[in-house]
Amino acid sequence: MAGATPAVVQWSGLIHRMRTVLPRAKITAWCNEDTPFIWPKILRHLIGLNAEDPVKAGYDLIGSLLTEIGAQKMQNYFKANPPNSEKERQRVLAAFLEHYANPEAMEEEITLPGWTNDLLSSLSDLYDEDVNTIISRGDVKVIEPAL
């Protein structure tokens, strides 16, 4: 961080600098915390597939966040009940995550000196604003959940 305060580190600034140097570059972004829900969309985008094309590893990431029983139940559920839409698929994933999350895989505890709950809350608000700034740019493809 070279002495910078955490509040000044923003993804939108990085994207602005990238756009300045490479004005015609295609930039795609997503929030890491959304990745388990949008993994198939990310894969399709990176590989260049259509939205309807199946992705074999589409459930692998969220499956890694579930208990073994939860992952098996999720696979069985989707085999028996293929979702009609991306929104439905993501709602079902959220339900499985809520009921079968593996606590050890869900949260990484990072302790940093001086980082209080108030600072984390403030940084979280700044992050949300930063994401909205990126989305509103209009020149960045942002992959978001359908929820």
Side-chain angles (χ1 to χ4, degrees), residues 33-40 43 57-68 70-72 74-75 78 89-102 105-106 147:
E33 62 274 14
D34 295 334
T35 302
F37 295 99
I38 60 174
W39 186 236
L43 291 174
Y59 295 105
D60 289 357
L61 188 56
I62 198 150
S64 72
L65 300 175
L66 301 174
T67 62
E68 193 172 320
Q72 186 61 52
M74 179 189 69
Q75 287 177 356
F78 280 119
R89 186 187 75 81
Q90 290 177 15
R91 277 199 311 261
V92 171
L93 291 177
F96 273 96
L97 199 55
E98 184 177 330
H99 288 72
Y100 296 104
N102 179 352
M106 288 300 294
L147 295 175

Side-chain angles (χ1 to χ4, degrees), residues 1 17-18 20 22-23 26-27 32 37 42 53 57 78 83-84 89 94 97 106 109 111 121-123 127:
M1 300 268 304
R17 290 188 300 279
M18 289 169 60
T20 300
L22 302 164
K26 292 181 181 179
I27 300 173
N32 188 54
F37 295 99
I42 293 169
D53 292 336
F78 280 119
N84 294 317
R89 186 187 75 81
L97 199 55
M106 288 300 294
E109 186 71 30
T111 306
S121 178
S122 174
L123 291 175
Y127 174 75

